[in-house]
Amino acid sequence: MNEDTRPDAALGLEGVPHTGEAIDDQGMLVEPQSEDFKSAKPASANPSWFKGAVFYEVLVRAFSDSNGDGTGDLRGLASRLDYLEWLGVDCLWLPPFYASPLRDGGYDISDFRAVLPEFGTVEDFVYLLEEAHRRGIRVITDLVLNHTSDAHPWFQQSRQDPTGPYGDYYVWSDDDSRYSDARIIFVDTESSNWTYDPVRGQFFWHRFFSHQPDLNYENPEVQEAMLDILRFWLDLGIDGFRLDAVPYLFEEEGTICENLPRTHEFLKRCRKVVDDEFPGRVLLAEANQWPSDVVEYFGDPEIGGDECHMAFHFPLMPRIFMAVRRESRFPISEILAQTPAIPENAQWGIFLRNHDELTLEMVTDEERDYMYTEYAKDPRMKANIGIRRRLAPLLENDRNQHELFTALLLSLPGSPVLYYGDEIGMGDNIWLADRDAVRTPMQWTPDRNAGFSSCDPGRIYLPVIMDPVYGYQGLNVEAQLNNTSSLLNWTRRMIEVRKQHHAFAEGDFSELGGSNPSVLAYKRLWKRPDGREDIVLCVNNLSRFPQPVELDLSEHRDYTPLELTGGVKFPSIGELPYLLTLPGHGFYWFQLVEAGDDSEMR
Amino acid sequence: MIDPDELADKLVTTLPDVLPTLRWFGGKDRPINAVRPLRTTPLSDEMVHVIVEVEQPGRSEEYQLIISEHSDGFDATADPDRNGLLLEKIAAGEHVDGITFAHEQGVELRTSLRGRPIGVEQSNTSLIYGQQYILKIFRKLARGENRDLVMHRALRSVGCEHIALPLGSISTELDGEPVTLAMLQEFLPDAVEGWDMAKTSVRDLMAEADLHADEVGGDFAGEACRLGHAVAKVHADLAEALGTRLADDDAITHAIEGMQRRLDTVLDAVPELSRYEEPLRATFEEARQHIGAIPIQHIHGDLHLGQVLRTVHGWLLIDFEGEPAAPAAERNALKSPLRDVAGMLRSFDYAARQLLIGQPDDDQLAYRAMEWTKRNRAAFCDGYAEVAADPRDNTHLLRAFELDKAVYEVAYEHANRPEWLTVPLSSIARMTSGGE
């Protein structure tokens, strides 16, 4: 066979098991199987672990470099697990670490069954899983279902052999006129959802970049092949997937080709594989849409949900920023009031920062939302909420605000997702291209390369932050570990408090209102299996000025609020509104303890 | 069981001493000659509804009380252990000896809730039941159906989204005339008064000497715009439910003369106003020339930032009683909706300058306050214009209504809060010299 047309030519995976190293006598590509590798011991059995878990998004490239080549890797990440365990992290979320030409941050996957060589090997990943599970930490990763890289051997086979076993793996057409109602997502770079392939002499369909052809889900073999990829990693011991770009799997003439019923049917098949073969693993939907539309991806509420276990709540994040900027709780209250109930076995993922952002283009119905009147017209909001800034610089390095935001993240309904480095208040480097601003190396120590890598500083994948405020010499894990009042120690303490009260995880959420618009107060109520109640009261001052608030807590007359970080008892609740005063950007977490019950109940 | 006759005797002897100590009693300015029970109606074994006539020099007024021997000061209205009964009777739609407890059509109510009195009221007693309902009990009784209730019913009938829903009422008749005793409404625990929302924004601006009103985080323009939208919707709903017509020449003349008459009175009391007399009169006359045939209808009648609530579902208008000092006929008259708009525009002016009252003069802050007012007045009108004609299209009339309102404010502030007098006076100075 000609060297250039080998299906695996573009992968750069010589010497490690990968898709297409051989072709069997039916013309099928030989793919690595999970049996070829050692599997990690599964994490402890607890089917609803994700409802109370603290997630931590970590870029493998940015966290720790074990081999001194200037790029973070899986072994490096594994070496930092003690730190993550100490912090209280329950689950790591890794953006894609698969083999990829990296033309879309690794979301352009060229082999679903191999690891990007810079990051290590499948064996290294299993090692990471093993070490994580040993510490009670789970690991999930992104999986792109909708498309592959054009370097994927499937695509190479498909374009070269239209009648072969992979001929129908992608959406091919003789012209570019079909599905004309589907919008173009990357309008800046793509002019059509169809691109002509001179090799096959046909157009192929792509909802994202033209180097990412969409898989053809009409073909049952594609569905099976993708389910087998889920099984491959689940067999190795992975704890779940964030399913990327799920609304676009199927196409149908006359529709916008998003959220089609058959897309949901396929997700139900994925869920069934998990439930039947790998109970306790989770699927998290990436659907950057309004909560009322996203809930569809949890599946049938009658049976507790039968598609994804989790989905991100995208609009909450900009609303938190807007609420603090406006010193008004309504931006948050409104979006929570608009958020529908979710199935019993489902949970939202909430975040302050991650590598995705809410795009205003997503919000189509102007009537139901004031994103357009408030957010889009405020240049500072528009610029700041983008993906190029980290939390600390967004909050002008104000410790009080940082704490308030973190307290909101840890107490609003949903599982919190922290972004690596925000626990120490890391800065960003806006001079780097695009999203690299927030992807600089984790700052571990004041040593060379911030302790991230032992490489020659010139070789590092991105320069470490060196400015006088956020520079690694002063701002790093080691320094903050040694300082009991550091943001890191504070964050750890709050995570610990959160874990002591299951109300934060699964408690019913009810807002308490009150006459002061700058104070957001809510209650989380968890009915314990033994019938008793764990009630947590959270009161947040969104204003920079001190504020009083009177809360109607008469439903809990004679209860005593017990402050959760220090255990101080506040005056008991009576018939009259309960008066609290808060410092600027201050907040309280209380447990409401019944009269006569002196112990803190959990 | 309370014996009604025994109770009547007791009221005659004790009430003259007790009434002046009660917050809601409106006749504290003069002595009480006599208290006469007009009617006692047992509501249960231990609660009796009482209407008394209080005779004072030069007037005689009717009040209602709910008596229980178990309660402090024996008025049981505010007693959470007992006042759940009122809600139960409304839910059941009971008639008790001439008192009608009624829920609105199609409304089902939750009962066994305790009623917590809210602390801030002056002349009535309002009970909040379980964070769901609010029962406003009118203490001093007035003949005729309560305007607030009538307006709320009309708005509910056309599906208005910008009110707290009316849920029920307690009513009776006195001398053959209907009398509203209480009104039950949806309670919105998340609601915040417009005044507090605006204050939050102004406070943020005043703390940032170097940023403009459109640059600070607490910008209110988005809220003001949505508020304008809501007010215009309520006007449209009132017109749909209760009709609208064109004002005739007589009505216009009457309105303009009313403005001139008010000005006469206030000029007598407040000499500082005299230097604006000429342009004020000219503005009112000019309005008469330019009015044309304007539509009139039922309006809110006393609209300002304290009469609107922000909830998670948007802005609501409350309290449709109309201008408090006006006689009933005046309050029920059809008026131009621009009067409400003018009331709200004046309120923005107050909101912007409230933090400057009693402080040393500061030109910079006064300038910021002006910026805030202009920005939010414009945003309010923009929002209003999304639904109805832009109020600014009718400049002459809107200006006349605003100045009339400002003249009223001058009188009020002069009598009650002299340090606030500068707010309406400087607005009059600005508007009569061609400013916005």
Side-chain angles (χ1 to χ4, degrees), chain B residues 349-361:
Chain B
D349 211 7
Y350 263 80
R353 293 208 264 159
Q354 56 175 323
L355 293 181
L356 309 182
I357 303 299
Q359 301 294 322
D361 282 349

Side-chain angles (χ1 to χ4, degrees), chain B residues 303-335:
Chain B
L303 194 62
H304 53 80
L305 283 164
Q307 302 277 41
V308 293
L309 299 179
R310 175 71 158 99
T311 74
V312 291
H313 302 297
W315 285 98
L316 306 184
L317 276 62
I318 55 167
D319 192 358
F320 287 73
E321 300 255 22
E323 203 183 323
E330 177 66 25
R331 281 191 273 155
N332 286 320
L334 303 191
K335 289 173 187 158

Side-chain angles (χ1 to χ4, degrees), chain B residues 161-182:
Chain B
E161 291 177 349
H162 299 284
I163 53 167
L165 287 179
L167 301 173
S169 60
I170 308 175
S171 57
T172 188
E173 282 189 4
L174 286 173
D175 307 327
E177 279 190 82
V179 171
T180 306
L181 298 174

Side-chain angles (χ1 to χ4, degrees), chain B residues 277-297:
Chain B
E277 177 179 358
E278 207 176 310
L280 280 169
R281 292 202 190 281
T283 309
F284 296 152
E285 278 313 310
E286 205 176 356
R288 191 212 298 266
Q289 310 301 325
H290 286 86
I291 276 179
I294 56 153
I296 51 175
Q297 61 168 88

